[in-house]
Amino acid sequence: MELVGELLARDRRSRDVALVTPDDRERTSHDLITNGYKAANVLRYLGVRTGATVAVEPIPGFHTTLAFLGAAAVGAPVRFDPAAGIDAGDRVVLAPVATAAALDPAPGTNLAAFGGSPERPDTTHWEQELWSENPGMPPSDIAPDDAVVRGADLSVSHRDLCSRAAAAVEAAGIGDETRVVLRAPFSDPSALAAGLVAPLSAGGTAVLAATGGGDASGDESRGDVAVAPAGKPVPEPRRIDPASLASTTE
């Protein structure tokens, strides 16, 4: 796999659980892929095309996952920093409704909010648009070396992110019955690769921790493998340290 959007291929749809969100709600592969199509279409409705950047809240959750997968499928790199996205003039900025209320986008940047109805009429209500959108996959023209994650001092290609995911699958023996618990934010590309892309690519289950970052030492185990930095206590029996997957090109 060299393109993140391949995770949304129609022939990958099944009734197996693919994602568990912080509220412990389970989503099947069929649900995740269908909603990934919808997210891609919402982003296109908001003006996103190949090469345009989408800024997204970095805390792992259902809507941030959909935004990442949808953006990747249409060839738009994701910046996991809404405030920086506002400053940079990214095409779309997606943030929790309380965060979005404090953001002031310049002309050309569309602001979207999830987690409730936004007060400002110029802010798109993400969930409302998502549930009403067409679940068909829009066309796109993406190359493996195109950026899929962008930051102030980094640009990670589809090929690189997928390579890190493949390395995580091999290192941890991730398979179709493995639950991988992401205990780090999406803003760490290696954590994103190991905690989301890797289990989805292997047919396993990505389990998103409650905060994507806080101390997990008191938590009960939520799976088989934790994706967390070395030195951070985790209850899962195995660990992938994202730093071990860092690209030599960064």
Side-chain angles (χ1 to χ4, degrees):
M1 188 178 82
E2 292 188 316
L3 295 173
V4 173
E6 293 176 33
L7 294 173
L8 298 181
R10 287 188 178 276
D11 60 6
R12 297 180 62 89
R13 294 185 297 182
S14 74
R15 294 299 175 186
D16 295 332
V17 175
L19 186 74
V20 180
T21 45
D23 59 2
D24 285 327
R25 182 171 176 182
E26 297 182 344
R27 265 83 174 192
T28 66
S29 174
H30 188 283
D31 291 339
L32 184 63
I33 290 171
T34 298
N35 284 302
Y37 293 162
K38 291 186 175 187
N41 282 303
V42 173
L43 293 172
R44 285 178 62 86
Y45 166 75
L46 293 173
V48 173
R49 298 294 184 269
T50 301
T53 302
V54 178
V56 177
E57 166 67 33
I59 295 177
F62 182 55
H63 293 295
T64 53
T65 296
L66 293 182
F68 167 67
L69 294 176
V74 299
V78 173
R79 184 195 315 275
F80 288 105
D81 188 338
I86 290 289
D87 293 340
D90 291 344
R91 192 67 184 95
V92 171
V93 175
L94 176 66
V97 65
T99 301
L103 299 177
D104 186 19
T109 295
N110 286 315
L111 182 61
F114 64 90
S117 179
E119 294 182 3
R120 287 160 31 191
D122 58 347
T123 301
T124 297
H125 187 180
W126 174 260
E127 290 101 324
Q128 181 174 289
E129 295 298 328
L130 187 73
W131 305 141
S132 64
E133 191 49 77
N134 178 1
M137 187 62 202
S140 59
D141 183 15
I142 312 167
D145 289 327
D146 290 344
V148 67
V149 175
R150 181 168 289 161
D153 57 355
L154 63 84
S155 179
V156 180
S157 69
H158 285 259
R159 190 194 308 275
D160 188 355
L161 199 72
C162 291
S163 177
R164 299 188 205 193
V169 169
E170 181 176 0
I174 298 171
D176 57 9
E177 296 185 357
T178 309
R179 289 169 61 97
V180 179
V181 184
L182 179 57
R183 297 188 179 278
F186 280 161
S187 50
D188 179 341
S190 291
L192 175 68
L196 182 67
V197 179
L200 294 183
S201 68
T205 302
V207 181
L208 307 181
T211 64
D215 182 11
S217 58
D219 291 355
E220 294 183 357
S221 176
R222 299 187 66 199
D224 307 297
V225 181
V227 176
K232 173 181 175 179
V234 296
E236 287 74 33
R238 289 179 284 154
R239 176 203 303 269
I240 300 174
D241 178 2
S244 68
L245 306 174
S247 169
T248 57
T249 64
E250 283 188 13

